[in-house]
Amino acid sequence: QVQLVESGGGLVQPGGSLRLSCAASGTIFSANAMGWYRQTPGKERELVASISSGGITNYADPVKGRFTISRDNAKNTAYLQMNSLKPADTAVYYCNAVFIRAAYWGQGTQVTVSS
C-alpha cells in the first residue's frame, strides 16, 4: 500500500509560480509512472503531466512550456513546477502513482490563480 500526500497548493496571482510536491509513504522507485492530474467542478479529471520510470515526460497541451514534472526516487517524491500560471489553471491537483498491480491517488491540493 502506498499513500500519496500532495502539498504546495495555494492562491497565486496570474503569471506567478507554484511548486507542488507529492510525498509517497512507500518507495516510488518501482512506480511505472507518476502523474499529476487536475479537476474542476463539473468536469472530469484530466492529465496534466506524467513521468515514466525512465524519466520520459508527457504534458497536456495547455501546460506545455510552463509546467515541469520531475521525480526524486531517493526522496520518494514527485514534483510539479508550475510557472506563468493562468486563471484557467485553477483546479484541484491530484498526484497519481502507477505500479504493475495497482494505482494510487493523493487527496488533492487546491490551486487558485486569481488577482
Side-chain angles (χ1 to χ4, degrees):
Q1 188 78 9
V2 175
Q3 291 185 329
L4 305 175
V5 179
E6 302 98 335
S7 62
L11 173 64
V12 63
Q13 292 186 343
S17 298
L18 284 175
R19 188 176 82 153
L20 304 183
S21 298
C22 172
S25 61
T27 180
I28 62 171
F29 179 78
S30 59
N32 292 340
M34 299 288 296
W36 287 94
Y37 289 72
R38 66 187 182 187
Q39 188 171 24
T40 55
K43 294 188 177 181
E44 292 187 358
R45 194 171 296 185
E46 62 178 9
L47 176 68
V48 175
S50 64
I51 183 167
S52 71
S53 57
I56 297 173
T57 57
N58 178 55
Y59 296 94
D61 286 343
V63 308
K64 283 181 179 177
R66 300 188 297 122
F67 290 12
T68 302
I69 188 172
S70 61
R71 60 192 285 177
D72 186 335
N73 291 337
K75 294 183 178 180
N76 293 320
T77 303
Y79 304 96
L80 184 67
Q81 178 66 44
M82 305 186 295
N83 299 327
S84 302
L85 282 161
K86 305 175 181 180
D89 296 317
T90 296
V92 178
Y93 284 71
Y94 297 89
C95 178
N96 170 262
V98 178
F99 295 81
I100 293 177
R101 296 181 178 178
Y104 301 93
W105 292 92
Q107 83 290 348
T109 184
Q110 176 71 46
V111 171
T112 302
V113 184
S114 175
S115 55

